[in-house]
Amino acid sequence: MKNREDRYLIGLASIALVFILFISTSPVVLAFSLHNNRLTLNETPITTNNSDEACPSIYADRVVWQDLRNGKNWDIYMYNLSTQEETRITNNNFDHRCPAIYGDRIVWEDICNGYQNADIRMYNLTTSAETQVTANMSGQYSPDIYGDRIVWEDTRNGGGWDKEGNRAGNWDIYLYDLSTSIEYQITTNESMQDAPALYENRIVWQDSRNGNLDIYMYDLSTFRETQITTDPAAQHSPAIYGDRIIWTDERNGKADIYMYNLSTSTESQITTSGSVEYGPVIYRDRIVWVDYRKGWENLDIYLYDLSTSTETQITTNESNQWGELDIWKDRILWRDQRNGNNDIYMCIVSGENTGSEIELEIRSEVNPKPEEGESTSKSIPGFEIVYDIVGLFGMFLYRRK
């Protein structure tokens, strides 16, 4: 029995030796690469009171949200991450919802004239002045801001709600330019266009003109409207950064995150978990969304890095991290239920995620002809690893004797 085991081990050692001779005389490189997850996640609560907070938005060191701490109406609050100071922005007894911030300007939808006649208002942090942006006797909702431009969804051309409280009729996208004090109607199709998002000269929204929700874009520099998605399923909740448009897509029977690159005219599927993902936001190479893969009572925030093609789970608390998301550079914001109410939480993501797998790569490689005086010896990646393995076999055989 002992002789049989020895012959077996000798055979394994011989195979390893032959393999070493093969890779040392052939144009083949054996490479072992170890990729480490280098991301550091630093999570912190922005709000700690016992009321509900929702709809966070961030720009640089300033975070804004809607807050229910003062009774039955929502107010807009801001937190400065640098000074650690919280500021109440609105002070009357009406609802103020869906804030967005860019630079020193905060915009929101204001219900002081009734919900069906909501207006867009703006607060300037530098001048401490509040301004009414819209005055039309209809509803203006869900504002977004970039630079001097504010966009929103508008009911003035026949939009409203049906008996079940669902949106119906002709909702349009409008824009106001603070530098010129001019308002523009962006969409004119007599269907529903809503959920606008703005980046530089481009506006994206969800559009029902084709009998299902599609993603559309308008370029303010070329005055051109473009249909981004054509799949007969629903595509909704768009966001944009640079040349990249992302959205929630239901073509696979559930909700996935998809992306369209305007510079390459290519569409790609971002999530493939088999679960439900929705509500994406994007900043540079990072896409963030709400993920249902651990159940409807344990929603989590996930991140996908386009530069490394890696996915990272941001939240691990066994409650819901969900709702409206926002991201600015390395800072991610969401609505969190771990304390029994809805709080605003933030995670600072630092480092770079390059995966966490050991990969064995065998590839052909033709070495260039050495220059005069250059050493012709080859350094073979992985050789030392195999050499150590053979050494262990030899030691084992020695001890068996």
Side-chain angles (χ1 to χ4, degrees), residues 34-38 308-311 352-357:
L34 178 62
H35 298 303
N36 295 316
N37 187 342
R38 301 172 185 171
T308 60
S309 301
T310 54
E311 181 184 273
E352 181 180 359
N353 188 351
T354 57
S356 58
E357 297 180 350

Side-chain angles (χ1 to χ4, degrees), residues 177-194:
D177 192 322
L178 294 166
S179 64
T180 62
S181 301
I182 298 176
E183 180 183 86
Y184 300 90
Q185 182 177 350
I186 300 301
T187 61
T188 57
N189 185 276
E190 295 181 357
S191 60
M192 187 183 301
Q193 292 86 38
D194 60 344

Side-chain angles (χ1 to χ4, degrees), residues 102-172:
Y102 187 93
D104 60 356
R105 294 160 171 166
I106 305 170
V107 295
W108 66 88
E109 62 182 51
D110 196 290
I111 319 298
C112 62
N113 295 316
Y115 185 71
Q116 295 195 13
N117 185 18
D119 289 303
I120 306 302
R121 287 183 176 259
M122 181 185 74
Y123 185 83
N124 190 311
L125 294 165
T126 301
T127 63
S128 301
E130 182 179 307
T131 305
Q132 183 171 338
V133 177
T134 64
N136 187 277
M137 299 298 291
S138 60
Q140 290 85 43
Y141 309 91
S142 300
D144 195 16
I145 181 171
Y146 188 98
D148 289 328
R149 291 162 171 163
I150 304 170
V151 295
W152 64 87
E153 53 192 38
D154 199 297
T155 65
R156 72 183 68 180
N157 300 310
W161 293 264
D162 59 21
K163 294 180 180 179
E164 286 74 34
N166 300 313
R167 294 186 176 194
N170 181 17
W171 291 65
D172 283 305

Side-chain angles (χ1 to χ4, degrees), residues 124-393:
N124 190 311
L125 294 165
T126 301
T127 63
S128 301
E130 182 179 307
T131 305
Q132 183 171 338
V133 177
T134 64
N136 187 277
M137 299 298 291
S138 60
Q140 290 85 43
Y141 309 91
S142 300
D144 195 16
I145 181 171
Y146 188 98
D148 289 328
R149 291 162 171 163
I150 304 170
V151 295
W152 64 87
E153 53 192 38
D154 199 297
T155 65
R156 72 183 68 180
N157 300 310
W161 293 264
D162 59 21
K163 294 180 180 179
E164 286 74 34
N166 300 313
R167 294 186 176 194
N170 181 17
W171 291 65
D172 283 305
I173 307 301
Y174 275 72
L175 177 144
Y176 185 82
D177 192 322
L178 294 166
S179 64
T180 62
S181 301
I182 298 176
E183 180 183 86
Y184 300 90
Q185 182 177 350
I186 300 301
T187 61
T188 57
N189 185 276
E190 295 181 357
S191 60
M192 187 183 301
Q193 292 86 38
D194 60 344
L198 173 65
Y199 183 85
E200 291 184 346
N201 292 320
R202 291 162 173 165
I203 308 169
V204 294
W205 65 88
Q206 60 188 34
D207 197 301
S208 65
R209 72 182 68 180
N210 302 310
N212 62 288
L213 286 175
D214 284 305
I215 306 302
Y216 275 71
M217 181 191 77
Y218 186 84
D219 193 319
L220 296 165
S221 61
T222 62
F223 309 105
R224 180 183 176 185
E225 181 184 90
T226 304
Q227 182 177 350
I228 301 298
T229 63
T230 58
D231 189 272
Q235 291 86 41
H236 53 90
S237 308
I240 182 172
Y241 187 94
D243 289 331
R244 292 160 171 166
I245 303 171
I246 60 171
W247 64 88
T248 302
D249 198 299
E250 299 182 12
R251 71 183 68 182
N252 300 314
K254 56 182 182 59
D256 285 305
I257 308 303
Y258 274 70
M259 181 182 77
Y260 186 82
N261 192 316
L262 294 166
S263 61
T264 62
S265 301
T266 56
E267 180 185 88
S268 55
Q269 182 176 350
I270 301 299
T271 60
T272 58
S273 71
S275 182
V276 173
E277 295 90 17
Y278 80 97
V281 292
I282 182 172
Y283 189 94
R284 294 179 180 169
D285 289 327
R286 288 173 168 174
I287 300 173
V288 180
W289 66 88
V290 178
D291 199 295
Y292 284 70
R293 71 186 68 182
K294 290 190 176 180
W296 295 87
E297 300 299 326
N298 185 13
L299 306 180
D300 282 306
I301 310 301
Y302 276 71
L303 177 149
Y304 186 84
D305 193 317
L306 295 165
S307 64
T308 60
S309 301
T310 54
E311 181 184 273
T312 302
Q313 182 177 348
I314 298 300
T315 61
T316 57
N317 185 275
E318 295 182 356
S319 60
N320 278 338
Q321 289 81 47
W322 67 309
E324 310 79 16
L325 308 178
D326 203 8
I327 180 173
W328 194 85
K329 290 189 176 179
D330 59 354
R331 296 164 176 174
I332 301 169
L333 288 150
W334 66 88
R335 185 159 30 125
D336 199 296
Q337 291 184 327
R338 72 185 65 184
N339 302 314
N341 61 290
N342 286 290
D343 283 308
I344 306 302
Y345 269 69
M346 179 182 73
C347 182
I348 298 177
V349 182
S350 56
E352 181 180 359
N353 188 351
T354 57
S356 58
E357 297 180 350
I358 299 176
E359 297 178 356
L360 172 63
E361 181 183 6
I362 301 178
R363 64 181 184 270
S364 297
E365 183 175 276
V366 179
N367 292 323
K369 183 179 179 180
E371 298 291 339
E372 184 177 355
E374 181 183 359
S375 174
T376 58
S377 63
K378 293 192 295 183
S379 176
I380 303 171
F383 181 87
E384 294 83 2
I385 297 175
V386 180
Y387 184 84
D388 290 340
I389 294 173
V390 176
L392 289 174
F393 277 127

